[in-house]
Amino acid sequence: MTAPRASARLAAGLLVVLTRLVTGVRAHGPGVAELAAAGVRQRVYFANHTSHLDALVIWSTLPPAARVRTRPVAAQDYWDRPGLRRWVAVDVLNALCIPRGAQAARDALHRLDAALGAGDSLILFPEGTRGDGDALATLKPGLHRIAERHPGVDLVPVHLENLSRILPKGEVLPVPLIGRALFGVAIRLEPGEGREAFLGRARDCLLALRAQCAGGARQAGAAPCP
Amino acid sequence: MSVSFDAETLWLIGGVIALLSVASVVGWRLQRRERAGSGQGVDQDVDPSKRAAVIANLNARIRAWWVMIAVFVAALATGGIGSVVLFALLSFVALRELITLTPTRRGDHRALFWAFFVFIPVQYGFVAGGWYGMFAIFIPVYAFLFIPLRSALAGDTQDFLARTAKIQWGLMLAVYCVSHAPALLMLQIPGYEHEGAKLLLFLVVVVQLSDVLQYVFGKTLGRRPVAPTVSPNKTVEGTLYGIGAASLAGAGLWWITPFSPLGALAIALAITCAGFAGGLVLSAIKRDLGVKDFGSLIEGHGGVLDRIDSLCFAAPLYFHLVRFLYT
């Protein structure tokens, strides 16, 4: 990884400020206490995906020390296109672009392995694409493979709330509502746990965070979720 | 509009600071007594942990008051435009808090974008420009007709009437009503030119003092709840004593206004009653949405909308009373 250019670093700082202003997001949830140590531990944040803001929001809520080592995983066909998209994704956020589709799965996993092998943390959306904000799709098996091949890496569930209302799929202009990022406690692959069981458990973690949010946390960001 | 600070304004601000200093000392002593664990002379029926929480919240509120007053005085000191910008920002944050908690649908996205980024700046532009005619009708006519049109164009008809009403009501409370406070600076009162800042100060001081006194009397003397299903903390005693005391205080401030002492009493009574109504209505909205507070921006108070709920109702009434009777 080459050192980012000054313009990209400046843009990254501006994006963090802008993201916080537009979404009002702060980190909440049972995993917040672990975030302070996020700079030293290698982690994979996996979250529900409803908006282009998702990766930015998680990235912005991380402590700065963790941010420089954390790369959003992005779809190559969408983000690695000439112009603004590539500049934001690749130059500013240092995103790891991977190809989508069954044929390219091996290539995608190799790139994830390489990044994790190099010590990077990742932000991953295991649903594979953006949803409408209501239903949570089943998780793609890539998350299980990462858990299997990198047992020392923390897998941190993150539930993002309201971002589908702030910038839904297909819209360019945001509505500045107050979003939330709920960090759960890190999980790992249990001994003898199969693929389906693990992916189901990971999905349940996201759903549990959402359920916690639906009750107490509708307090407009007041008390942090339990 | 141009506004200047005169001796009367400085006296009033000095009085507010003195009052807050007293409150800070009282809060500090209460906390020290609580920490010492003696609790002599206090009602032993009250659960100690509950009492400690109330005192901690009281001190958080007092600290937040220092910040709010500093911001408000700084805005006033810049002349008219600072006040307009401050209330525009308050409207923006209040609408944000309200819409965040209100269920809207994907089809409302564009309508909401207009509400935040077009209607708020335009409404406050009319305030800054002193264009009374457009200020008075822009939201109830143009914005209210445009919002359902934009949502209808998006094609989603599910809960259409309720969705439209929620966005309109949000604009009404958070933007239209609140904008009447800085609009006081545009009123031309014979013999009271360029003194609109004191008119605004009178509104904010009397209404917020009424809130504080209703809280204080409610916590100390309150027994019977006014509307237990809406707001368990509002009591008959707190409300009546609070409104009465704040109205008397308002009458005592007649010298900064164009009103006579009796006129100041009547107007203070009207706006404190309106303030109570605002607090009650906004509490009902919170119960409906299933939340305790609208937000967490102001320590101890909740969100911006929790703090300006009484102003939402008092500002338009005050504006039109003054405009009708004194211009």
Side-chain angles (χ1 to χ4, degrees):
Chain A
M1 178 180 129
T2 52
R5 298 228 316 259
S7 61
R9 278 214 310 269
L10 183 70
L14 280 175
L15 266 181
V16 168
V17 172
L18 200 65
T19 305
R20 287 192 179 159
L21 274 180
V22 170
T23 64
V25 160
R26 284 205 307 250
H28 296 277
V32 164
E34 293 175 359
L35 269 188
V40 283
R41 293 197 61 87
Q42 195 180 6
R43 323 181 91 196
V44 171
Y45 302 92
F46 65 97
N48 58 324
H49 198 18
T50 61
S51 167
H52 278 332
L53 292 171
D54 290 345
L56 254 179
V57 160
I58 295 178
W59 200 68
S60 305
T61 47
L62 294 177
R67 212 179 288 148
V68 294
R69 300 241 54 178
T70 304
R71 308 178 63 184
V73 177
Q76 188 160 28
D77 55 280
Y78 190 90
W79 285 104
D80 197 6
R81 287 203 219 156
L84 187 66
R85 275 191 208 171
R86 179 185 288 162
W87 186 70
V88 170
V90 178
D91 292 328
V92 177
L93 295 175
N94 188 26
L96 176 67
C97 288
I98 59 169
R100 277 195 280 206
Q103 272 87 37
R106 282 172 67 92
D107 184 20
L109 289 169
H110 277 310
R111 294 193 201 182
L112 292 174
D113 278 340
L116 287 169
D120 289 332
S121 291
L122 299 177
I123 297 171
L124 196 66
F125 300 102
E127 290 173 278
T129 189
R130 285 174 292 160
D132 59 6
D134 296 329
L136 183 66
T138 52
L139 307 189
K140 304 248 175 206
L143 188 67
H144 171 255
R145 214 187 97 128
I146 290 173
E148 212 173 33
R149 296 188 43 116
H150 303 273
V153 175
D154 286 343
L155 302 173
V156 184
V158 185
H159 172 70
L160 298 170
E161 175 142 308
N162 260 349
L163 295 180
S164 58
R165 295 177 69 200
I166 296 172
L167 188 66
K169 205 169 179 167
E171 293 285 349
V172 183
L173 297 170
V175 165
L177 304 180
I178 302 164
R180 299 170 61 87
L182 278 114
F183 287 79
V185 179
I187 62 168
R188 292 187 180 203
L189 189 64
E190 300 290 338
E193 192 175 26
R195 187 169 82 180
E196 296 309 316
F198 173 78
L199 291 175
R201 185 159 66 92
R203 188 167 179 270
D204 287 344
C205 286
L206 292 176
L207 291 173
L209 286 171
R210 172 149 94 173
Q212 281 177 11
C213 218
R218 294 265 325 270
Q219 310 276 332
C225 280
Chain B
M1 80 183 65
S2 85
V3 179
S4 56
F5 270 20
D6 53 19
E8 290 174 352
T9 316
L10 294 175
W11 272 110
L12 183 60
I13 293 169
V16 170
I17 289 173
L19 198 63
L20 203 53
S21 304
V22 172
S24 293
V25 170
V26 170
W28 176 70
R29 291 198 53 168
L30 276 174
Q31 190 160 34
R32 215 176 53 153
R33 198 175 63 175
E34 187 67 23
R35 287 231 177 99
S38 59
Q40 291 145 345
V42 296
D43 190 350
Q44 294 297 340
D45 297 340
V46 181
D47 177 13
S49 66
K50 218 172 177 179
R51 196 175 57 217
V54 168
I55 291 172
N57 176 260
L58 174 74
N59 282 303
R61 282 173 185 250
I62 293 169
R63 278 196 301 277
W65 272 120
W66 281 107
V67 178
M68 287 190 277
I69 284 169
V71 170
F72 184 55
V73 168
L76 272 185
T78 63
I81 197 66
S83 306
V84 176
V85 170
L86 173 66
F87 280 94
L89 288 174
L90 290 178
S91 279
F92 187 89
V93 177
L95 186 64
R96 181 185 206 185
E97 291 171 349
L98 195 58
I99 300 292
T100 294
L101 292 170
T102 307
T104 57
R105 288 172 61 85
R106 174 73 175 72
D108 301 318
H109 189 81
R110 299 282 174 93
L112 287 172
F113 183 85
W114 277 80
F116 279 99
F117 291 112
V118 179
F119 296 150
I120 292 177
V122 170
Q123 173 71 0
Y124 281 91
F126 291 137
V127 174
W131 189 355
Y132 172 76
M134 280 306 285
F135 154 77
I137 66 158
F138 174 65
I139 286 181
V141 175
Y142 295 98
F144 280 13
L145 294 179
F146 181 83
I147 291 283
L149 169 68
R150 191 66 198 79
S151 289
L153 285 174
D156 180 2
T157 55
Q158 191 179 334
D159 297 326
F160 183 78
L161 186 57
R163 281 160 45 207
T164 302
K166 281 167 186 161
I167 300 172
Q168 289 179 332
W169 184 219
L171 271 178
M172 175 79 190
L173 280 175
V175 185
Y176 186 66
C177 288
V178 173
S179 69
H180 284 73
L184 290 162
L185 304 181
M186 73 162 84
L187 292 179
Q188 300 291 331
I189 299 171
Y192 196 73
E193 283 85 8
H194 307 306
E195 299 188 56
K198 289 183 289 184
L199 224 45
L200 177 56
L201 260 176
F202 181 84
L203 167 73
V204 172
V205 167
V206 170
V207 171
Q208 298 293 340
L209 186 66
S210 170
D211 280 1
V212 170
L213 290 172
Q214 286 179 45
Y215 167 87
V216 169
F217 284 122
K219 287 274 176 242
T220 51
L221 305 172
R223 292 286 178 268
R224 287 167 294 160
V226 174
T229 58
V230 178
S231 180
N233 288 328
K234 285 187 172 55
T235 61
V236 176
E237 295 80 2
T239 303
L240 291 180
Y241 294 140
I243 286 177
S247 301
L248 288 175
L253 291 175
W254 65 274
W255 46 274
I256 65 159
T257 69
F259 323 138
S260 67
L262 211 58
L265 177 69
I267 286 182
L269 184 63
I271 59 178
T272 49
C273 286
F276 169 74
L280 200 65
V281 169
L282 272 288
S283 286
I285 293 176
K286 284 185 276 191
R287 296 301 92 79
D288 181 26
L289 295 171
V291 297
K292 188 181 159 292
D293 292 322
F294 280 113
S296 57
L297 201 64
I298 310 176
E299 193 196 359
H301 296 260
V304 164
L305 199 50
D306 294 294
R307 188 61 274 137
I308 63 171
D309 53 2
S310 43
L311 269 181
C312 286
F313 275 48
L317 182 73
Y318 179 67
F319 177 90
H320 287 291
L321 277 176
V322 174
R323 183 168 180 275
F324 182 70
L325 296 171
Y326 292 91
T327 63

